[in-house]
Amino acid sequence: MALNLDYKPVEVVSTAGMPESEWLEWRRKGIGGSDSSAVMGCSPFCTTRDLYYDKRGIAPAIQDKPNWVTLKVGHLLEPLVAEIFARQTGYRVYQIQKMFRHPLYPFMQADVDYFIETDDGRHGILECKTSHPNNKGKWADDCIPYNYELQCRHYMAVMNLDFVWIACLFSNSEADFVKRYIERDLDLEEDLIQNEQHFWEDCVQAGVEPPYTENGDLVLASLRKHYGPSDPEQPTVLLAPVLALDLQRYVQLTAMKRDYEQKAKEVDRRIKEAAASILDAMGTAERATLTADGVVYTVSYASRYRHTIKKEDLERLKLEYPAVYDAFVSVSESRSCTVKTKEEKKT
């Protein structure tokens, strides 16, 4: 399809002072910038299926928010990120607290952090991020995390603007501040629009669940969120023959893993044998050194203490002090998959 660039974004609703619950309801009416990576199957946080459940009103895309403090801090620091950017560039940074919609693809929505006016009068977008210092490597060598890039390209498409600056603060020092420039790319934009259109029209509106295509951990987390704990009262499921290849692959990979684990155990045994004479020479010392053949070896063998409670003591606590047990003991649910095989009996 050839993109029509003769358009202006449609103002949908003012977001100034809007309660979060109402804002979330508006987000469910279309695809936002932060949804783009999930649509493309490369979100680090949720699957395309999770996003489908969110847009259909079945369940939020991200149900558990253990990092709510991080999210809150990121929101509170957005003005600071914008101020640092303005000071470093001299550009005018301003807000338009409204939700916008693409006039030609109305399922595409945008709630932009800030806008920019450059010295020569050009207008663009400023996307503000905060992150942990450990994530600086993802931004090294002028890189941008791909999920953020997709978010920016979505915003350019909706707002019909030609560039985005994305800025990220990693600590309380301006030295840990990076900014990256993204120019509009109509070929990438066309691909993004096609995928978003397919997701919205053929999945969300049609009520058809998209397939899982993401990495295993993300998919399994999605399945646990959607189905919840197992039900021992449910009858045994008769699987469709099409799943036979997946079962065969699972059995083969499990056997490979056992083989690797056995080899790792053997290596671990040899490591302990090699360490025994060294630790014997150290006695109760926590550190040791040796220089040999131009190499300096430094050994650390310090005691570490961990407080645990035995299973039998935990049971006694539950019986004798149930209130204390309920106050301090939490229960977590997990499920493990095992597959057993046996030869089919010939008749």
Side-chain angles (χ1 to χ4, degrees):
M1 64 179 181
L3 295 179
N4 181 352
L5 301 181
D6 183 21
Y7 66 89
K8 291 183 179 180
V10 177
E11 296 181 4
V12 178
V13 64
S14 172
T15 57
M18 180 182 287
E20 184 182 14
S21 58
E22 185 179 345
W23 179 75
L24 290 172
E25 283 302 317
W26 278 104
R27 276 180 55 87
R28 291 191 181 98
K29 298 178 186 294
I31 299 172
S34 58
D35 298 328
S36 298
S37 59
V39 171
M40 299 296 284
C42 56
S43 168
F45 307 112
C46 69
T47 65
T48 311
R49 182 84 63 88
D50 292 325
L51 185 64
Y52 166 85
Y53 291 145
D54 186 291
K55 300 304 179 183
R56 294 281 297 182
I58 298 171
I62 303 176
Q63 295 178 6
D64 303 318
K65 295 185 178 180
N67 59 338
W68 70 270
V69 174
T70 303
L71 297 174
K72 185 75 172 180
V73 168
H75 180 70
L76 292 173
L77 290 181
E78 279 181 7
L80 176 60
V81 175
E83 181 180 353
I84 296 172
F85 177 85
R87 285 172 178 263
Q88 288 190 358
T89 62
Y91 296 159
R92 183 172 78 91
V93 174
Y94 61 98
Q95 281 187 301
I96 301 177
Q97 293 182 299
K98 293 180 180 180
M99 186 174 287
F100 293 90
R101 181 175 293 153
H102 198 303
L104 306 177
Y105 307 101
F107 53 86
M108 297 180 71
Q109 299 182 159
D111 187 0
V112 178
D113 290 342
Y114 291 89
F115 293 89
I116 304 167
E117 183 180 9
T118 63
D119 296 336
D120 56 2
R122 298 172 65 221
H123 290 264
I125 294 167
L126 173 62
E127 179 63 23
C128 299
K129 302 293 184 185
T130 58
S131 188
H132 193 278
N134 290 345
N135 294 323
K136 289 180 69 174
K138 297 177 181 179
W139 297 76
D141 301 320
D142 293 328
C143 288
I144 304 166
Y146 188 50
N147 56 308
Y148 291 160
E149 180 185 340
L150 290 173
Q151 181 180 6
C152 294
R153 296 198 179 283
H154 175 98
Y155 288 155
M156 283 188 278
V158 175
M159 303 307 300
N160 198 16
L161 292 172
D162 293 332
F163 68 93
V164 172
W165 276 98
I166 180 169
C168 186
L169 180 65
F170 297 97
S171 74
N172 62 352
S173 169
E174 191 176 349
D176 286 328
F177 177 85
V178 298
K179 55 185 182 293
R180 303 282 184 260
Y181 178 78
I182 306 175
E183 272 192 349
R184 194 171 185 180
D185 184 316
L186 296 181
D187 290 332
L188 294 176
E189 186 173 307
E190 182 176 347
D191 183 57
L192 179 63
I193 291 174
Q194 287 179 339
N195 278 276
E196 291 188 1
Q197 186 171 23
H198 165 70
F199 171 74
W200 189 257
E201 295 178 356
D202 300 334
C203 297
V204 176
Q205 290 186 326
V208 177
E209 294 181 345
Y212 282 119
T213 60
E214 297 81 3
N215 73 69
D217 287 337
L218 209 57
V219 171
L220 292 180
S222 174
L223 291 170
R224 286 194 294 269
K225 286 188 295 186
H226 182 59
Y227 290 108
S230 60
D231 182 357
E233 301 301 321
Q234 286 288 324
T236 299
V237 174
L238 184 62
L239 297 174
V242 70
L243 294 175
L245 288 177
D246 289 318
L247 284 169
Q248 293 169 9
R249 183 164 171 263
Y250 184 94
V251 170
Q252 291 169 356
L253 291 172
T254 302
M256 288 176 58
K257 181 182 177 182
R258 281 197 301 267
D259 184 48
Y260 290 142
E261 288 174 343
Q262 190 61 40
K263 291 177 180 178
K265 287 180 181 178
E266 175 61 20
V267 172
D268 188 55
R269 182 184 66 79
R270 294 183 183 181
I271 289 173
K272 291 175 180 177
E273 288 178 354
S277 58
I278 301 167
L279 302 182
D280 182 31
M282 290 175 64
T284 58
E286 292 190 348
R287 288 168 298 278
T289 62
L290 172 66
T291 300
D293 300 325
V295 178
V296 179
Y297 298 90
T298 302
V299 184
S300 176
Y301 191 54
S303 299
R304 298 289 183 267
Y305 299 95
R306 183 179 61 170
H307 299 281
T308 60
I309 183 169
K310 297 178 181 178
K311 183 178 180 180
E312 55 269 24
D313 292 334
L314 193 63
E315 292 295 329
R316 190 159 61 89
L317 178 66
K318 185 177 182 180
L319 291 173
E320 297 181 14
Y321 305 99
V324 175
Y325 179 90
D326 292 338
F328 290 95
V329 177
S330 59
V331 178
S332 60
E333 184 267 341
S334 65
R335 298 169 70 176
S336 60
C337 177
T338 59
V339 177
K340 297 180 180 180
T341 61
K342 66 177 181 179
E343 293 295 324
E344 186 179 11
K345 292 182 180 180
K346 304 294 184 180
T347 56

